[in-house]
Amino acid sequence: MRTGRARASLKQDEQDPVVGQEVHASASLLTDDETVARVRATRGQFWKAHNLGERLADEESLAAVAAEQLFDADGQFRPEYESFVDLPGNVLVVDDLHIAAPWDDPWIVAGLTSSIIDRLTDNQYAVVLPRLSGNTAAALLTEAGVLLSAEPFSDELLIIDTSLAAPEEAAHRVREQLRSRARYGGADLLSEEWDEEDDEGEEVLTARTRAVLHLALQQLSDQAWQEVSTLGDQLAQRNAGGLFGSLPRVTWHQDGSWRRQMAPAFDDPAADCSSDAEVEPRCTGEEMALHLGIARAQDLTRNRPRLVRDTVAGLPEDRGDFDWGACSDVLFQDHDVLMLFDHALDGMEDPEGDIHQSLGMVNLAPHDWFAAFDPEQARDPDRGFRHP
């Protein structure tokens, strides 16, 4: 079996002139500078393309199958799809895997698939994979999808709903499995090293990463304080849009006083990013703010390259720059707060509830979001904020 170092790389193809409506990309697995695996993905954003269904139908393979099953004849989402995912609107179709032995392993394919999902999506995507059995490459994608918490949508499709916590936790398990196998060896990988193993001990929040995360949190803070002023004490509603409307629905009945406490949860991590302080959420509100900040930073690096370039001008480059998946892994002890987006788990925030107690969760009820995890690390109440 070949030995050497394995690393994943991402290439965005220049096939579609309308950036944002439909993007083709591929992720490759390289060892000793030889490509041993490649998977293709097609990303479509419904809000930027009224004919997204037609555009996907015009593609080959799984994208066309997805178009038929997700969209009706009028180009609207089918009701069964809208009820299947939490936030229908953006679609990433992953298919066309080519992989050489001995790398044709579901865990390796799951790691490669996770890489392309991390780089091309945020927490508002439906990731579509084939649902097959057998010894084909497409069946490996199916096994990888199951490892990444994909759910059966039809006889032909699996879907990962990135708005839920389970896929993020599954991706973390996949990365840990690959790291463990690289570190201790195994029947399948022997002495190969997954690239992320080399990152252990290195700085995840590099200077350029901090700068972009700071920018993202500042943008979210601006939006939060503007909505604090606009909404006053009225209740936020999701269908009204806005930042507070995008939070888990357990927060929608909070008043202006609660929002005035939530807004600084963006300011404080932003201040940490712009200093030498350790960036670490100190309460549930800051956990949510940092999750949203990482998602916004990921969008900025993907869609606003000129703004990002200006933001990081003069800062030293690092191989770990803009690794938002690693940031998500390192900055949080757990991702419990993201489970609040899962409507199937409504009520889990109740400290007296069975789920809350059995999983050892803390401070998920909105009125507890601003209680410090560690009283000795509580924020200074007289610190002041960027906004009045």
Side-chain angles (χ1 to χ4, degrees), residues 82-296:
E82 288 190 309
S83 63
F84 192 84
V85 297
D86 191 50
L87 297 169
N90 300 322
V91 179
L92 181 74
V93 182
V94 182
D95 66 349
D96 196 26
L97 171 69
H98 298 273
I99 189 165
W103 302 89
D104 49 348
D105 173 279
W107 287 95
I108 294 176
V109 177
L112 189 60
T113 303
S114 177
S115 293
I116 202 169
I117 292 173
D118 282 347
R119 288 162 173 80
L120 291 181
T121 72
D122 52 26
N123 62 349
Q124 299 183 24
Y125 269 81
V127 180
V128 180
L129 299 108
R131 186 184 182 189
L132 297 168
S133 59
N135 298 318
T136 65
L140 270 177
L141 275 177
T142 300
E143 294 182 64
V146 172
L147 291 174
L148 294 169
S149 291
E151 296 288 341
F153 175 72
S154 68
D155 290 340
E156 297 169 287
L157 302 180
L158 296 174
I159 290 181
I160 299 173
D161 186 349
T162 65
S163 69
L164 306 181
E168 186 168 351
E169 294 171 352
H172 177 73
R173 288 195 298 270
V174 167
R175 286 191 288 270
E176 288 303 307
Q177 171 74 3
L178 291 171
R179 288 170 176 160
S180 177
R181 289 168 64 174
R183 183 180 302 114
Y184 301 114
D188 297 318
L189 277 179
L190 291 185
S191 60
E192 288 87 355
E193 299 177 35
W194 190 257
D195 185 54
E196 292 182 355
E197 175 70 9
D198 288 341
D199 292 337
E200 289 194 0
E202 293 187 3
E203 176 64 46
V204 172
L205 280 180
T206 65
R208 286 153 57 94
T209 302
R210 274 180 175 258
V212 177
L213 183 56
H214 175 251
L215 173 63
L217 289 165
Q218 279 189 316
Q219 290 183 350
L220 291 169
S221 171
D222 289 339
Q223 185 176 356
W225 283 108
Q226 178 61 47
E227 291 182 21
V228 165
S229 175
T230 302
L231 292 172
D233 281 328
Q234 65 177 302
L235 303 182
Q237 296 294 333
R238 181 174 190 160
N239 58 10
L243 177 60
F244 287 104
S246 71
L247 295 179
R249 62 182 180 184
V250 297
T251 70
W252 292 353
H253 299 298
Q254 301 303 310
D255 59 13
S257 175
W258 186 90
R259 288 191 289 270
R260 284 189 289 274
Q261 294 181 80
M262 183 62 200
F266 297 97
D267 287 334
D268 289 325
D272 292 340
C273 286
S274 64
S275 68
D276 294 330
E278 181 180 2
V279 179
E280 179 183 13
R282 303 191 191 184
C283 63
T284 301
E286 290 186 20
E287 278 191 329
M288 179 60 71
L290 271 170
H291 276 297
L292 296 178
I294 289 172
R296 174 69 65 91

Side-chain angles (χ1 to χ4, degrees), residues 26-83:
S26 61
S28 300
L29 184 67
L30 308 178
T31 178
D32 297 331
D33 294 325
E34 177 185 351
T35 300
V36 296
R38 183 177 185 275
V39 64
R40 179 178 182 271
T42 301
R43 184 181 75 187
Q45 297 175 303
F46 185 69
W47 64 281
K48 287 188 176 181
H50 69 282
N51 60 340
L52 180 57
E54 292 180 354
R55 296 168 69 86
L56 290 177
D58 205 38
E59 297 292 322
E60 299 177 353
S61 188
L62 195 66
V65 177
E68 180 179 354
Q69 296 191 22
L70 304 187
F71 296 88
D72 62 21
D74 296 324
Q76 302 300 310
F77 290 127
R78 295 185 183 276
E80 54 268 31
Y81 168 64
E82 288 190 309
S83 63

